[in-house]
């Protein structure tokens, strides 16, 4: 503290100065007198004897005059505008502001362009989402949005041509300074192992000056258009590789992101597909027909050059089985995607389907309305329940007892054994008219998307799968308007108890295994586990589902009566 006080003492200027001799070096001295042989103003001498500051005032006066002259000339200076000739605009006021704030004038110029929202300064997401407008027909755009952890999406506008021989897309007359971009158009960017299997698309900007630029293969000639698509009909490029083949991923990673990206075009869009599968088109053709009026282009095997005026490479994604209205330029949500599914898989003829929603049972009211009255005991049909079963893992080992319990709880249970060849219209028909869906956690739960708002999804959650069950299906089902219920499997109900012991770490603390990574967790809790449900405890969840449906049915009746 004493040293610190001494240090502060020596740095405070208000402290009294110690007595020093005149020879101290830090004392400022007056200039020495002029030599006696020098004259002040005349006699051929240049001395400063008359005033000791004359020699200093003269150069200061000259410097001041020069500085004023320089400041006056700044607005006309050619150094302040660094944009290209086509962008060069006189902005004397901005230049003065730049001088005052010590910022280059070209930064002020960029801010001005953002205020006028020219296409060059808009964020790429504005072009992808359709918020940027069409712009000038001759003005090309090439940009990429790589900000999302799930997907990269690039946007092109201008003379866009496919080059399937090199898995490339060429943009002729590209904006000056554009660089090639590489995109793997699949929505699991965070997962390196699967992304490495996705075909890569190279976007090549071709210089406007000489018609060549960085064209792949060194060909200086423009690719001749074999198929010229109408102006205003863009292309959306995406991959059906990766986890395609698993119904959950087909919806979450593919169809829903495709809806998010392409629905704003109202059918006037062409789908260009990498790693195209004919079975995929056969399975989901009814959905694709609701999104595009044109044939799908197989990017790998269609060797023709397709020409477009606009293209999006990659798909937008909001999360797991979700469409976030706040992120949609037109406010659409998952209910709009479900309406599209109903239109595609309804048995109503397509001409009628496009004009109006399909004929499905009356949507149930939300469960938050306690409309049930004591006298509501009229005889009604038993609620329809669809039970999905599995054959390889996560099997319901006591299925007959479960079906009996459902029947005793007042339901009409129907068991569905889904196979790969099961047609989606058949699944849609079963669930669109169902009141309750029961399924063990797995990809088949994805079919809750076919169910009416107000109906019940009852998910049986095996040991170690709590988080996945809620994140992948529970929350999305609630966003769709379903009543979501869980039956959490107890340790003694899991087959893992017999394999590892009911008190083992595997059964009692699944976080230990989960901390080793997804694949380790999947190997133990998804691939090697079956379930024997405690029927008595399961009955409590069935009663909760039944009570919800009674409330919802009473609300519908009350609303119908009030409408009359």
């Amino acid at each position: 503290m004493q040293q610190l006080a001494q240090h502060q003492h020596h740095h405070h200027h208000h402290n009294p100065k110690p007595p020093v001799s005149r020879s101290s070096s830090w004392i400022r001295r007056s200039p020495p007198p002029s030599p006696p042989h020098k004259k002040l103003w005349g006699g051929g001498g240049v001395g400063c004897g008359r005033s000791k500051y004359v020699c200093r005032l003269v150069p200061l006066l000259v410097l001041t005059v020069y500085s004023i002259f320089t400041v006056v000339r700044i607005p006309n200076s050619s150094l302040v505008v660094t944009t290209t000739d086509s962008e060069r605009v006189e902005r004397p006021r901005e230049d003065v502001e730049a001088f005052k704030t010590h910022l280059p004038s070209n930064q002020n110029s960029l801010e001005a362009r953002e205020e006028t929202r020219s296409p060059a300064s808009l964020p790429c997401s504005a072009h992808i989402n359709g918020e940027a407008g069409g712009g000038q027909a001759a003005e090309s755009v090439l940009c990429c949005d790589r900000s999302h952890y799930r997907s990269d999406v690039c946007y092109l506008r201008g003379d866009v041509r496919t080059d399937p021989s090199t898995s490339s897309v060429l943009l002729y007359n590209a904006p000056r300074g554009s660089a090639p971009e590489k995109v793997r158009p699949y929505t699991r960017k965070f997962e390196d192992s699967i992304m490495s299997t996705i075909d890569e698309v190279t976007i090549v900007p071709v210089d406007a000056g000489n018609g060549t630029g960085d064209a792949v293969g060194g060909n200086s000639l423009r690719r001749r258009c074999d198929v010229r698509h109408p102006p205003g009909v863009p292309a959306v490029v995406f991959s059906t590789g990766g986890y395609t083949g698993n119904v959950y991923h087909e919806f979450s990673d593919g169809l829903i992101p495709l809806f998010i990206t392409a629905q704003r075009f109202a059918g006037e869009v062409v789908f260009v597909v990498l790693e195209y599968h004919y079975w995929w088109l056969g399975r989901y053709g009814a959905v694709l027909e609701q999104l595009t009026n044109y044939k799908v282009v197989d990017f790998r095997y269609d060797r023709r050059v397709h020409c477009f005026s606009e293209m999006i490479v990659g798909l937008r994604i909001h999360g797991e089985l979700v469409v976030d209205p706040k992120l949609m330029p037109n406010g659409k949500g998952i209910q709009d995607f479900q309406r599209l599914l109903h239109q595609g898989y309804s048995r109503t003829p397509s001409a009628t389907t496009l004009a109006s929603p399909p004929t499905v049972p009356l949507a149930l009211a939300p469960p938050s309305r306690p409309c049930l009255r004591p006298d509501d005991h009229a005889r009604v049909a038993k609620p329809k329940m669809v039970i999905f079963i599995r054959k390889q893992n996560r099997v319901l080992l006591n299925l007959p007892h479960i079906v009996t319990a459902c029947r005793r709880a007042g339901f009409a249970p129907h068991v569905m054994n889904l196979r790969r060849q099961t047609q989606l219209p058949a699944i849609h028909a079963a669930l669109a008219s169902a009141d309750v869906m029961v399924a063990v956690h797995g990809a088949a739960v994805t079919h809750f998307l076919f169910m009416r708002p107000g109906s019940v999804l009852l998910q049986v959650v095996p040991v170690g799968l709590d988080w996945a069950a809620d994140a992948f299906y529970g929350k999305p089902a609630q966003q769709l308007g379903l009543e979501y219920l869980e039956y959490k499997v107890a340790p003694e109900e899991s087959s893992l108890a017999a394999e590892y012991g009911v008190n083992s770490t595997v059964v009692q603390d699944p976080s230990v295994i989960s901390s080793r990574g997804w694949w380790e967790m999947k190997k133990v809790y998804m691939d090697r586990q079956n379930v024997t449900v405690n029927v008595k405890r399961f009955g409590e969840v069935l009663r909760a589902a039944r009570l919800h449906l009674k409330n919802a049915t009473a609300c519908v009746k009350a609303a119908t009566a009030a409408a009359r």
Side-chain angles (χ1 to χ4, degrees):
M1 292 297 293
Q2 183 177 3
Q3 293 178 351
L4 178 59
Q6 293 176 352
H7 178 78
Q8 291 176 342
H9 174 80
H10 289 300
H11 285 80
H12 280 76
H13 299 291
H14 64 268
N15 293 334
K17 298 177 182 178
V20 292
S21 66
R22 289 188 176 273
S23 61
S24 297
S25 61
W26 62 276
I27 298 179
R28 185 175 180 178
R29 298 179 179 179
S30 300
S34 300
H37 66 276
K38 298 276 186 172
K39 293 187 178 180
L40 296 179
W41 303 102
V46 292
C48 300
R50 178 176 295 179
S51 174
K52 55 188 176 183
Y53 295 109
V54 170
C55 290
R56 295 186 178 188
L57 289 176
V58 173
L60 286 175
L61 180 62
V62 174
L63 180 61
T64 301
V65 173
Y66 176 78
S67 300
I68 294 173
F69 179 74
T70 303
V71 171
V72 171
R73 292 193 58 189
I74 280 180
N76 297 324
S77 174
S78 61
L79 298 177
V80 295
V81 179
T82 58
T83 54
T84 60
D85 292 338
S86 61
E87 298 173 330
R88 192 167 294 159
V89 181
E90 293 185 9
R91 297 187 179 93
R93 184 177 182 84
E94 294 180 42
D95 294 329
V96 174
E97 291 298 321
F99 177 77
K100 291 179 180 178
T101 58
H102 307 287
L103 294 175
S105 275
N106 62 331
Q107 291 189 16
N108 282 351
S109 175
L110 288 175
E111 292 174 1
R113 287 203 299 273
E114 288 179 359
E115 290 172 2
T116 58
R117 298 184 66 82
S118 68
S121 62
L122 285 173
C124 196
S125 59
H127 295 286
I128 297 167
N129 295 336
E131 300 169 332
Q136 298 180 3
E139 192 171 16
S140 60
V141 176
L142 170 56
C143 64
C144 293
D145 183 359
R146 302 183 185 273
S147 62
H148 201 282
Y149 80 102
R150 288 290 300 264
S151 66
D152 293 331
V153 185
C154 292
Y155 176 85
L156 300 83
R157 187 175 70 207
D159 186 357
V160 183
R161 310 190 182 198
T162 63
D163 185 7
S165 63
T166 58
S167 190
S168 302
V169 173
L170 308 178
L171 176 61
Y172 290 94
N173 299 326
R176 185 172 300 178
S178 298
E181 301 280 359
K182 294 182 180 292
V183 185
R184 297 183 188 271
Y186 191 61
T187 58
R188 298 190 74 84
K189 184 174 78 172
F190 63 94
E191 197 169 344
D192 294 339
S193 59
I194 199 65
M195 290 301 290
S196 64
T197 69
I198 303 297
D199 288 351
E200 187 175 65
V201 177
T202 302
I203 302 172
V204 182
V206 182
D207 184 71
N210 53 26
T212 58
D214 297 320
V216 174
N219 188 354
S220 62
L221 299 177
R222 290 199 182 198
R223 305 294 192 270
R224 180 178 59 84
C225 291
D226 298 313
V227 181
R228 186 177 293 277
H229 296 272
V233 178
V236 172
V237 182
F238 61 97
S239 172
T240 56
Y243 290 122
T244 301
N246 177 294
V247 66
Y248 169 80
H249 291 286
E250 288 167 0
F251 276 89
S252 186
D253 300 340
L255 292 176
I256 293 179
L258 182 61
F259 172 80
I260 292 171
T261 307
Q263 57 81 31
R264 69 179 179 89
F265 298 113
E268 290 301 298
V269 60
V270 177
F271 295 151
V272 179
V273 181
L274 283 75
E275 298 164 272
Y276 175 86
H277 305 286
Y278 285 99
W279 66 261
W280 176 83
L281 180 62
R283 186 170 180 81
Y284 296 110
V287 179
L288 300 177
E289 288 176 358
Q290 310 302 312
L291 291 172
T292 178
N293 301 326
Y294 301 88
K295 292 183 178 180
V296 173
V297 176
D298 183 351
F299 188 76
R300 178 185 292 176
Y301 291 107
D302 188 339
R303 312 309 293 177
R304 297 174 298 176
V305 174
H306 289 259
C307 297
F308 299 92
S309 60
E310 189 178 7
M311 178 178 285
I312 297 173
V313 183
L315 299 177
R316 286 288 199 200
I317 185 170
H318 295 164
E320 307 297 336
L321 297 177
V322 66
V323 179
D324 189 345
K326 297 188 295 297
L327 300 178
M328 297 291 285
N330 50 18
K332 290 188 179 294
I334 190 64
Q335 291 81 4
D336 297 284
F337 177 75
Q338 186 189 55
R339 188 175 299 112
L340 179 142
L341 296 178
H342 287 327
Q343 291 172 347
Y345 293 119
S346 172
R347 295 181 180 179
T348 306
S350 58
T352 306
T353 301
L354 292 176
S356 61
T359 304
V360 295
L362 181 64
L364 299 175
S368 59
R369 298 174 57 189
C371 299
L372 189 63
R373 296 187 300 272
D375 59 342
D376 284 337
H377 295 292
R379 179 176 297 180
V380 295
K382 291 183 177 181
K384 178 182 176 181
M385 172 184 285
V386 177
I387 304 174
F388 286 87
I389 62 173
R390 302 175 60 90
K391 289 294 187 180
Q392 294 183 346
N393 48 44
R394 284 161 279 156
V395 176
L396 292 172
L397 297 176
N398 58 337
L399 178 63
H401 298 88
I402 293 174
V403 172
T404 300
C406 293
R407 188 174 290 113
R408 288 176 178 174
F411 295 99
H414 301 262
V415 176
M416 287 198 72
N417 180 18
L418 295 184
R419 297 179 175 86
R420 188 64 195 174
Q421 61 269 27
T422 303
Q423 297 296 311
L424 279 180
I427 303 173
H428 174 268
L431 288 176
S433 60
D435 300 292
V436 182
M437 171 182 170
V438 177
V440 182
H441 173 76
V445 184
T446 307
H447 294 110
F448 77 80
L449 291 167
F450 294 156
M451 299 188 71
R452 296 168 292 153
S455 55
V456 178
L457 170 62
L458 199 169
Q459 183 175 196
V460 178
V461 183
V463 170
L465 299 179
D466 297 44
W467 176 85
D470 183 59
F472 296 160
Y473 303 113
K475 285 185 172 61
Q478 291 173 320
Q479 291 178 352
L480 186 58
L482 273 60
E483 176 75 355
Y484 175 64
L485 299 175
E486 282 185 347
Y487 178 83
K488 293 189 177 182
V489 173
E492 63 272 12
E493 298 173 275
S494 170
S495 62
L496 297 177
E499 183 175 356
Y500 295 97
V502 70
N503 295 319
S504 65
T505 301
V506 171
V507 176
Q508 294 295 333
D509 190 4
S511 62
V512 174
I513 303 298
S514 299
S515 64
R516 300 176 186 174
W518 170 263
W519 293 108
E520 192 68 23
M521 185 276 291
K522 179 180 181 297
K523 182 174 64 176
V524 175
Y525 297 109
M526 300 183 73
D527 297 344
R528 300 174 61 176
Q529 183 174 193
N530 295 317
V531 173
T532 302
V533 169
N534 183 314
V535 175
K536 183 178 180 180
R537 195 162 66 89
F538 186 67
E540 297 175 1
V541 184
L542 294 176
R543 283 191 290 274
R546 190 75 174 92
L547 180 61
H548 162 76
L549 292 173
K550 285 182 178 180
N551 273 337
T553 303
C555 289
V556 171
K557 288 181 178 179
T560 304
R564 293 176 183 174

